[in-house]
Amino acid sequence: MCLNLSAATAERRTPAMRLKGAQAAIICLLTLSAVQRQDGWSVTYTSTQICALKGSTVDIRCTYTYPSRVNGNVTVVEKAVWFTKMKDDEHVDVRTEAEFAGRVQYHCDNKDCTLRITDLRESDSAEYTFRFVTNQPGGKYSGSPGVTLSVTVLQVQVIKTWPRTYPTWKKVMCQSSCRLPDPHSYVWYQNEVNTDRKESSFEKYFDYTDSISCAVKGYEKLPSPSVCVDDQTCNRVSYTSRSICALKGSSVNISCIYSHTHPAVSKFWFSPERSHQQQHRSHPEDLRKDSHYAGRVEVIETERGRSTLRIRDLTERDSAEYHFIFKTQSFEWKSSLPGTTLTVTALQVKVSRIISVHQTQTEAELKCESSCSPAGRLSYVWFKNGQKNTTQQTSAYTDYFNPGDNISCAFSGYEDYRSPSVYPSKLPSVSVSPSGEIVEGSSVTLTCRTDADPAANNTLYKGKQTLPLTPEGIYHFTSISSEDRGIYDCKTEDQLSVSLFIDVQYAPKFPSVSVSPSGELVEGSSVTLTCSSDANPAANYTWYKEDDNSAKTSGQNFIITDFRPEHSGSYYCEAQNTRGRRSSTSHPLTVVTGLWTFPVMLSVSVTALVIILFFLLLWIRRALKHQSEAAERPDNGAQTDEIQYAAVQFATTRPDVANSNFSS
């Protein structure tokens, strides 16, 4: 919730006062995070409400937790997704949706996951929810409700504050449909020239020909559409879209709305990237005269004040920023504000993984990829041997493929612009021998090859490490270790890739024992011993006490709630799984009995010492007082001095006796 504290109470000021006015004080009450918990499962969002500008980039971040073990089994996250909708009771990963093609990335690590969306569109406004799936039975969790994203476009509002007295005095305000994070300042453009004003609104005298536009500082590439400050015609250009994605080979329309106060001497479309000298933007070149666009470009004006640039048979070289410019006898629109950015993309089918390889078929997961997607609510269309698959509408496609099958993909409504065909049965395959359970120390063979003629050159990777292959595509582990556990990628020269996960089983490593609380154990207190060991599969734990053959308990934790002298001794744990067992070193536990523990004895001693010092100082004070009184009597001063001196010496050397005499 945001409150503008000054808008309702501001005193009206006339233009003659020449007051710019103080900026409104704004207070925003935001919910910074939302946490859902259920038996150790949780998702926490950095923010539950986000407002972002159209065309910008947004990061939606969360952290999540889950039990490290369930019934002794180690929890492993197998899948993490962000979603906005469901289909057939399944959560649809935003990465597989056509309208997000080329614009979505995940950055997930160590229970932290960020969804990044680039080139935001107003259609991206939705609730984004994070979900993760583990290897545990029922171990799935969605952080609902999620994060609400609102995508907005800046708009300039013109207010006639004194329409009769000062008709050309106007107030302009930069507004959005949702509350943006408080910007440091704004940027204002009058007739596309920066005015050096930084406030969100201001008042001044305008000319009837002026146009005005605003932007947030740091986002100058995303300004509002230019508007006329007067109801009459002004000099301005506003583009229908700031960014357009189009498919290679198709046609695209780039449009703008423009007006000028005097007849135009010239007007045309140009691209700074295509100008002969890009640094000289003041001398742009009409695209109709550029040989690169010869026979492919036309300018259409079906209505006054609207111009459309049409480019046919698009190539990837056509990706550029396009501007419209006009010139009158007294004014020139120099197009210093951003125009429309065109991105030309081509679809491509890639193999994300080979699931299984059979004698006559290959089961594979394919993905349809592109650098961007056309505007609108799109879906994917898959073609197998030229026939349309009506059941697959996301970017992922899993099926069995026979030798000779060819696969391609397209966006719905753009079926004539398909990707090049691929042949999944000719893709690389990676296999492991033996095919059953792999135990640490055993001999293992990995095979990475492609069933193609002529034979293809493949490369085997583990992470970023390249593993050497024999001419037959074999990599051999003479004695595989737990460190070799992981994902292996087999890639062809054209970067087609399949993956294989090798799970190496091993006996428990040396167990470690921790005790809580640490330090001395007081009789009657509670103590917890914890045993930990790296093992695959996960280890089971048993606790023993030395000189006692029977097991005390089983489980990772051993808790003694009422520690007694008979519990004193040395304890150790044994970790075991199907691959072996191993015991920890003994950990001694000793109970401290009686009330006179060291802290108590220390406090009593300190107290006694303080009391003795107190009485000693009191006795010395009285002795010094007597000495002072004796000094005032000169007739027996010498004798008094000797007596007092002897008393002081006696008190100093024998305080115990002196204190006793004093007490009596």
Side-chain angles (χ1 to χ4, degrees), residues 26 43 45 51 84 164 184 346 371 441 452 465 575 583 605:
I26 296 175
V43 173
Y45 298 105
C51 177
T84 62
R164 295 184 179 180
H184 294 292
S371 59
Q465 180 186 5
S583 298
S605 300

Side-chain angles (χ1 to χ4, degrees), residues 136 250 370 466 472:
Q136 303 290 2
S250 66
S370 66
T466 303
E472 294 78 22

